[in-house]
Amino acid sequence: MSANAIASANTSASPSGPRVAIMTDETGWHTSRLKRALRERGAQGRCVDLADCRIDTTWAAHGLVIPGYGRGLPDAVIVRGIAGGTFEQVTVRLGILHALRELGVPVYNDARAIERSVDKSMTSFLLHRAGIPTPPAWAGESVPHARRIVMREAAAGREVVLKPLFGSQGKGLVRLGGGESGCAALPALRAYGGLAYMQRFVAPVSTPGFDWRVLVVGGKAVTAMRRVSEHWVHNVAQGGRCETQPLTPELAQLAERASAALGLDYAGIDLVPCGATDGGAQVIEVNGVAAWRGLQSVTSFDIAGCIVDDLLTRRLGYVYTPREAVA
């Protein structure tokens, strides 16, 4: 089915503006904000679970079934969440996003970008390849090799952080090496999918410690916050406290480079202070399905509105008249 035919079918079915599918496995604060921002711009937002979508080459010429869109397709997609599942289930869910892109539907962020950011080892590789300051990282299935890395780092007075490859919200992080008692033992890797992804630990520069979260939308850093915690893990889900943070040129540039390295439409970039690098920071993680409730609590910047504006104007070419201009 041609892109023109899809566009024609969708336009005739959506006289009130673009129809945007918000892909999510749970509705709540974020999806409400996105739907409101879409509605204020004359667009329509509908929450869809990727688990309910399917490939069906008998249903329509394009071969997809997206609940709520009949035999047509949405005009654009915002990916807000992808439910976990078996390897096969997740493969097909990502395949739906790949298929939408192949059909000419803007997907924000698309499957390839999400795959890059969800896989922490690939994130480290791409950041390193782009010359972006980021802690040294290792990923492999060999337990003896992982132990040798920990021992080598410990002998140099350093520590490493063992992380779940697909983890989020600071869960499952373990510090290894260093300390007066010698090298901490590498835990069983079964809980980590049989793989050791490790990143060199960056010691805090203050007490309590902190890191930065910078939000990048459409290639431009738009707002930031500081996450402060007595614990070495600063995620809000682990008790970190959100504080206002001016968006300095140094933080903005690093965050924008990190987002570009992974090809993301929007991203939450996590950085830690480090006086040994240009700009005084290193990128430790890149979030391709970034939450922003904590960030929104310490800034007046309209995050959902910015995301929707970028999708509609840059990716979809949609021109709308703001309500205040109409009034």
Side-chain angles (χ1 to χ4, degrees):
M1 188 175 187
S2 69
N4 289 337
I6 294 171
S8 177
N10 288 345
T11 301
S12 63
S14 55
S16 300
R19 303 184 305 166
V20 179
I22 304 171
M23 297 298 187
T24 180
D25 57 321
E26 58 180 33
T27 59
W29 186 89
H30 288 89
T31 55
S32 295
R33 290 290 180 114
L34 289 171
K35 289 174 73 173
R36 184 177 69 184
L38 287 162
R39 187 168 58 250
E40 289 174 347
R41 289 152 178 80
Q44 304 173 41
R46 175 188 292 271
C47 291
V48 179
D49 192 335
L50 274 168
D52 296 328
C53 302
R54 62 186 186 273
I55 292 174
D56 185 344
T57 59
T58 68
W59 174 251
H62 51 70
L64 293 181
V65 179
I66 310 297
Y69 294 92
R71 296 181 184 273
L73 295 172
D75 298 298
V77 168
I78 298 175
V79 181
R80 181 54 245 148
I82 301 174
T86 65
F87 179 76
E88 291 82 1
Q89 288 173 325
V90 174
T91 296
V92 171
R93 290 167 193 169
L94 289 171
I96 298 292
L97 298 180
H98 279 297
L100 286 164
R101 176 179 174 172
E102 291 298 315
L103 290 166
V105 177
V107 180
Y108 194 102
N109 287 305
D110 68 28
R112 186 182 182 194
I114 290 173
E115 289 165 351
R116 288 174 163 184
S117 62
V118 168
D119 178 354
K120 290 184 174 63
S121 66
M122 181 54 64
T123 296
S124 290
F125 168 78
L126 291 171
L127 293 175
H128 172 73
R129 187 182 181 204
I132 297 168
T134 188
W138 305 265
E141 300 180 38
S142 170
V143 172
H145 184 256
R147 286 175 178 159
R148 285 196 296 271
I149 291 170
V150 175
M151 293 175 65
R152 185 185 69 198
E153 291 292 296
R158 296 188 291 257
E159 297 177 74
V160 299
V161 180
L162 177 68
K163 299 183 176 184
L165 189 69
F166 303 134
S168 62
Q169 299 183 329
K171 298 177 182 177
L173 276 58
V174 180
R175 276 168 62 179
L176 305 173
E180 297 180 359
S181 59
C183 181
L186 183 77
L189 296 182
R190 181 177 299 176
Y192 294 84
L195 184 137
Y197 167 74
M198 298 181 295
Q199 192 179 58
R200 183 176 290 168
F201 176 66
V202 181
V205 299
S206 64
T207 303
F210 68 92
D211 66 7
W212 296 289
R213 163 63 65 89
V214 178
L215 184 70
V216 178
V217 178
K220 180 178 176 58
V222 294
T223 188
M225 71 173 172
R226 178 188 294 222
R227 301 185 299 190
V228 182
S229 177
E230 297 290 345
H231 194 271
W232 62 274
V233 179
H234 304 124
N235 296 69
V236 175
Q238 302 301 318
R241 182 176 71 255
C242 301
E243 295 183 353
T244 57
Q245 168 64 45
L247 186 55
T248 65
E250 294 80 10
L251 287 177
Q253 183 186 57
L254 271 180
E256 289 167 3
R257 289 175 60 198
S259 179
L262 273 69
L264 294 159
D265 287 305
Y266 81 105
I269 313 297
D270 295 340
L271 308 97
V272 290
C274 178
T277 63
D278 294 338
Q282 293 190 61
V283 177
I284 55 171
E285 289 194 7
V286 177
N287 303 275
V289 189
W292 66 86
R293 189 167 188 173
L295 178 55
Q296 188 66 82
S297 72
V298 294
T299 181
S300 59
F301 185 84
D302 181 9
I303 295 173
C306 181
I307 290 172
V308 167
D309 281 340
D310 186 55
L311 167 68
L312 295 179
T313 59
R314 182 176 63 86
R315 294 298 308 277
L316 202 55
Y318 174 63
V319 179
Y320 66 92
T321 303
R323 285 186 173 182
E324 54 269 25
V326 176

